[in-house]
Amino acid sequence: MTRQSPRRAALLVAGLMATTMTPAIAASPATGQAAPCQAGALTPSWASGGSAKPGGVPDEQVTAVVALKNTGSRACTVHGYPEVTLEMGTETAGVQTETFREQTSVRSKPVTLAAGGSARFTLTFLSAKESEDNVIVPGVAAITPPNGKAAKDLKWRWGPVLRQEAATHPGNFVSPVTR
């Protein structure tokens, strides 16, 4: 057994304590990418662009753009598809929902956001008339960022939407997060 000097042993213990007590760094040394964004640090809002109009454009497939802003104090990376559910009604009246499917024809790539920076994703949906069958008139879009657990609500302003959850090839889908 090798005996270490008391000074060397103290340095080893101090080094071990420093590595176990240091908070996670913002970048992964292996990839140089920022750490994943914490869902609570991503705030959704409606962004410019898209073909959706306030109140709706009946009988057309339209798009609405959502921005995800990094409200954290460090750069972070977001990767994948957000979960988006349109919600109509109240608990007493029975909540009706329409959940967007992932647009699998578009590949998801990691997006690094500086503190205060934003990424975007697109909702594509079939706009409808309120009087049609199988239509939801949403009050909110509940948005859960990729790898998040809690949704944040955005007031829906794009009018009635044709429900597509049971469709073989749904017309309502969400793109991955992009720059």
Side-chain angles (χ1 to χ4, degrees), residues 2 7 11 18 20-21 35 55-56 59 77 83 107-108 140-141 156:
T2 316
R7 184 174 191 283
L11 289 173
T20 58
M21 298 177 86
D59 303 323
T77 300
E83 181 180 312
R107 293 189 58 103
S108 173
V140 298
W156 185 257

Side-chain angles (χ1 to χ4, degrees), residues 45-172:
S45 63
W46 296 114
S48 61
S51 57
K53 304 278 186 244
V57 182
D59 303 323
E60 287 188 33
Q61 186 174 43
V62 294
T63 59
V65 181
V66 177
L68 286 176
K69 183 176 182 177
N70 175 7
T71 56
S73 60
R74 293 183 171 186
C76 64
T77 300
V78 62
H79 183 218
Y81 294 84
E83 181 180 312
V84 179
T85 302
L86 302 182
E87 297 178 353
M88 175 181 125
T90 63
E91 289 182 46
T92 56
V95 175
Q96 292 183 2
T97 63
E98 169 67 14
T99 300
F100 286 72
R101 300 235 180 115
E102 293 178 356
Q103 182 182 7
T104 56
S105 63
V106 178
R107 293 189 58 103
S108 173
K109 298 176 185 171
V111 176
T112 300
L113 301 175
S118 292
R120 303 160 60 98
F121 67 90
T122 303
L123 300 176
T124 301
F125 58 95
L126 295 168
S127 192
K129 294 178 186 143
E130 193 171 345
S131 59
E132 293 179 60
D133 289 338
N134 208 22
V135 168
I136 182 172
V137 183
V140 298
I143 297 174
T144 306
N147 303 314
K149 292 181 173 64
K152 293 182 182 178
D153 291 346
L154 284 181
K155 183 175 172 54
W156 185 257
R157 55 176 152 175
W158 311 116
V161 175
L162 187 62
R163 295 182 70 156
Q164 294 284 292
E165 287 181 326
T168 305
H169 300 288
N172 298 343

